[in-house]
Amino acid sequence: MNLPEFHNEPYSDFSAPANREAMEEALSNVRAQFGREYQLRIGSDWIATNDKLNSLNPSNTREVVGIHHRATTELANRAVECAYTYFPAWSRTPAEERVRLLVDAARILRRRKMEFNAWMVYEAGKSWPEAEADVSEAIDFCDYYAREMLRLAGPQKIHQMAGEQDELVYIPLGVGIVIPPWNFPLAILVGMTVASLVTGNTAIIKPSSETPTIAAKFAEVLLEAGFPEGCFTLLTGSGSAVGDVLVQHPKTRFIAFTGSRDVGLRINELAAKTQPGQLWIKRVIAEMGGKDAIVVDADCDLDKAVEGVLVSAFGYQGQKCSACSRAIVDAKVYEPFLDKLAQKAKTIRVGPADDPRNYMGPVISAGARKSILEYIEAGKKEGRLLSGGQAQEGDGYFIAPTIVADVDSKARIFQEEIFGPVLAVTKARDFQHALDLANDSQYGLTGAVFSNDPEHLRQAAEQFHVGNLYLNRKCTGAMVGAHPFGGFNMSGTDSKAGGPDYLMLFLQAKSIARKVS
Ligand code: NAP
């Protein structure tokens, strides 16, 4: 089987009238499906439970996007047993057949792109371009991992012993638990799921309780592409209720998690404890939080730095693990940087995500809004409020883009992940001091440096301890294939999603030596 070379999915340009109209139409079609009920499915059984979860539109909380049935612990156990039973058949399905199904899933996603964009706008509060980027990344994951699996299913280069025929083959692990966050409700869910499936594992997907409808729609895509019912289960339910059961089950072989530090550490701890009857050491792939910094050097294009910081801090309301939540600025340009930043921040429009004139939509939930506003109050005491600083009127969870200047590196808003539209700005004595401040964090996910000085860029490449470093560009927007993604320290296991090492995490290598003479 030969596939053409991988290319990133191009973004739809919404300034083109045809794309605009297609998106408007998708929004209205999706809106017409609001309030539909989605049952659970284990194998070929569709299951209703009495415990229902209403997924709301964060731009207008009176609107119910979808109604989902929450799994019980009994169903979680049943899902693992079902995945375990089906594993032998799926793991022996030829890799080329699994790849063919995945390429088909990418094709269906591409065909339904505007529809998925619209679900994203309504269930996750993404602006049109942010939704488009999320769906495009999901397509990229399918296309990229399909090609990677072909590579790994082929002959591997190993030394041949005299008189032997030696080979190394990659085989799947077993039952995987896929636990994604809500902030890339399609891309991250798709990435971890298809990596599990294309490598021959069976998977139980426990989607975020904030974005279950997008997950249900992707489950439809997998079935339409021809993935057998037994190879995956979408198990909607509360992470705290069913998460522990899935993670601790003795037949669970690995957990692919993306989410907060605390939940990731809990999963890691629980998975490390061997259960009665368990035959393996569970593997944990955990991608967690960030407290990402952009360093602004004295010698740089200040307008580009301001633009890079704003886009990274306030794109999708700062709810990206890669979002810039700390700007660390050389004292020589600190005041002019703040002036330009405050001016530009004032032009950011906040409001319902389905209105393309709004750059920022709502934050995801009432809980998130409460927590972010508490951080903003703390920030007002920890520095000088430059812009924003409060919730914004409307029927959704809106918060004004907030900038706090003169923040000390020991302040909470400098150290803790807020996951909202809050930017702390800190003054550095010089470039080395700026790098030291940037590294003064338990996290190490993304970072960026704006500088015209080649020696400073070299210094940053060597010292800035982050999994994804960007020079003279924003610190968000990793592209599959070009920027394998994953962080250091408390940002996780550095799995490098969208890179050549990723699928290896879902496989184990078997060496076969055949005596021939
Ligand atoms: P979260 O609260 O940790 O939840 C993530 C997932 O874990 C959800 O599906 C959640 O289910 C589930 N969960 C909760 N408790 C669990 C438990 N005890 N056992 C098993 N699963 C459990 O994170 P989030 O709020 O969805 O996402 C935001 C976080 O993700 C941020 O910290 C962000 O930095 C991080 N993130 C990291 C990356 C990366 O690549 N490093 C990418 C994106 C996001 P429920 O929704 O039902 O609680």
Side-chain angles (χ1 to χ4, degrees):
M1 181 183 206
N2 274 323
L3 291 174
E5 200 188 328
F6 170 78
H7 288 292
N8 292 110
E9 173 69 15
Y11 292 163
S12 310
D13 171 7
F14 291 114
S15 65
N19 289 338
R20 249 184 132 77
E21 278 162 29
M23 185 64 187
E24 297 281 6
E25 194 186 331
L27 285 166
S28 104
N29 289 342
V30 160
R31 175 171 277 283
Q33 298 175 57
F34 275 10
R36 215 192 103 186
E37 219 168 294
Y38 300 84
Q39 292 190 347
L40 296 167
R41 182 190 58 78
I42 299 179
S44 54
D45 296 340
W46 290 90
I47 302 157
T49 63
N50 287 328
D51 190 7
K52 290 188 190 167
L53 162 71
N54 283 356
S55 163
L56 306 180
N57 174 3
S59 293
N60 183 345
T61 58
R62 287 190 300 258
E63 292 176 338
V64 177
V65 175
I67 302 170
H68 298 263
H69 290 254
R70 280 199 188 94
T72 58
T73 53
E74 186 268 326
L75 289 173
N77 280 315
R78 203 168 125 192
V80 179
E81 294 293 343
C82 173
Y84 187 76
T85 306
Y86 194 68
F87 174 68
W90 180 242
S91 62
R92 285 179 203 138
T93 303
E96 288 205 354
E97 171 62 9
R98 299 193 306 257
V99 166
R100 196 186 57 69
L101 296 176
L102 186 50
V103 170
D104 218 36
R107 184 187 57 76
I108 297 166
L109 275 177
R110 205 172 276 120
R111 191 189 76 219
R112 293 174 59 177
K113 199 174 192 193
M114 290 295 171
E115 180 204 337
F116 272 96
N117 282 348
W119 284 113
M120 202 88 63
V121 165
Y122 283 131
E123 195 170 50
K126 292 209 172 193
S127 67
W128 293 19
E130 293 286 354
E132 171 75 16
D134 194 323
V135 182
S136 302
E137 189 177 3
I139 295 169
D140 283 351
F141 278 135
C142 295
D143 280 342
Y144 185 82
Y145 294 148
R147 285 154 179 79
E148 280 298 294
M149 190 60 227
L150 286 184
R151 176 175 70 83
L152 293 169
Q156 304 300 310
K157 222 174 161 188
I158 50 165
H159 179 70
Q160 296 295 316
M161 289 294 292
E164 282 185 10
Q165 213 175 58
D166 297 308
E167 61 175 327
L168 184 84
V169 292
Y170 289 112
I171 63 170
L173 296 169
V175 176
I177 311 297
V178 172
I179 309 179
W182 50 262
N183 73 324
F184 280 86
L186 191 65
I188 293 181
L189 180 146
V190 169
M192 294 195 298
T193 301
V194 303
S196 304
L197 296 180
V198 78
T199 44
N201 301 288
T202 50
I204 295 156
I205 312 160
K206 208 306 286 170
S208 164
S209 298
E210 308 290 356
T211 50
T213 314
I214 293 164
K217 292 289 158 191
F218 180 62
E220 286 175 11
V221 170
L222 288 179
L223 292 178
E224 189 186 334
F227 280 89
E229 282 171 331
C231 76
F232 79 99
T233 294
L234 179 66
L235 201 79
T236 306
S238 146
S240 52
V242 295
D244 288 0
V245 179
L246 295 170
V247 168
Q248 288 176 301
H249 198 292
K251 288 180 180 152
T252 292
R253 178 65 178 82
F254 70 93
I255 299 107
F257 167 81
T258 307
S260 62
R261 179 199 60 181
D262 292 353
V263 174
L265 291 179
R266 178 182 173 78
I267 288 172
N268 192 44
E269 202 174 321
L270 289 181
K273 176 124 182 50
T274 315
Q275 301 297 325
Q278 185 180 319
L279 294 179
W280 40 69
I281 297 173
K282 289 178 190 170
R283 204 178 273 182
V284 176
I285 303 152
E287 290 311 308
M288 311 186 321
K291 190 70 195 174
D292 311 303
I294 295 186
V295 167
V296 180
D297 194 7
D299 177 10
C300 76
D301 182 327
L302 210 53
D303 290 320
K304 286 203 176 121
V306 167
E307 181 63 28
V309 167
L310 274 182
V311 168
S312 307
F314 300 123
Y316 190 36
Q317 298 78 265
Q319 302 174 117
K320 297 181 190 177
C321 52
S322 55
C324 170
S325 52
R326 300 179 295 154
I328 300 169
V329 185
D330 191 296
K332 290 184 238 13
V333 291
Y334 188 71
E335 290 305 333
F337 174 83
L338 285 183
D339 288 346
K340 284 173 185 275
L341 191 71
Q343 283 299 325
K344 276 215 128 179
K346 282 199 194 97
T347 65
I348 294 178
R349 214 182 122 131
V350 185
D354 58 350
D355 181 342
R357 292 170 303 172
N358 294 324
Y359 179 76
M360 270 175 57
V363 299
I364 191 69
S365 64
R369 181 175 58 181
K370 181 167 177 284
S371 155
I372 296 163
L373 290 174
E374 280 167 10
Y375 271 112
I376 289 177
E377 287 314 307
K380 286 175 185 170
K381 298 189 190 90
E382 291 178 326
R384 170 165 56 105
L385 185 69
L386 208 65
S387 76
Q390 73 285 320
Q392 205 153 296
E393 294 283 291
D395 296 323
Y397 307 123
F398 302 110
I399 296 183
T402 297
I403 302 172
V404 183
D406 308 344
V407 176
D408 185 81
S409 65
K410 298 298 164 232
R412 280 183 66 204
I413 66 160
F414 188 95
Q415 291 292 342
E416 295 175 20
E417 186 182 42
I418 301 171
F419 222 56
V422 184
L423 173 71
V425 190
T426 300
K427 193 193 288 186
R429 287 189 301 275
D430 52 31
F431 189 72
Q432 183 60 54
H433 184 219
L435 284 183
D436 293 343
L437 287 168
N439 284 334
D440 182 3
S441 171
Q442 62 179 298
Y443 296 106
L445 189 47
T446 77
V449 174
F450 282 87
S451 176
N452 290 329
D453 182 336
E455 174 52 24
H456 282 177
L457 294 177
R458 190 204 59 76
Q459 214 175 318
E462 187 181 271
Q463 293 179 29
F464 203 158
H465 195 58
V466 288
N468 287 72
L469 178 65
Y470 301 101
L471 305 177
N472 287 317
R473 55 150 281 185
K474 62 181 181 166
C475 66
T476 54
M479 297 301 288
V480 170
H483 314 128
F485 193 78
F488 301 154
N489 297 348
M490 283 298 167
S491 290
T493 51
D494 191 37
S495 65
K496 290 293 185 272
D501 304 331
Y502 192 67
L503 288 193
M504 298 292 283
L505 302 170
F506 298 80
L507 292 162
Q508 54 196 339
K510 183 170 180 176
S511 156
I512 303 168
R514 182 189 305 240
K515 193 92 184 124
V516 288
S517 61

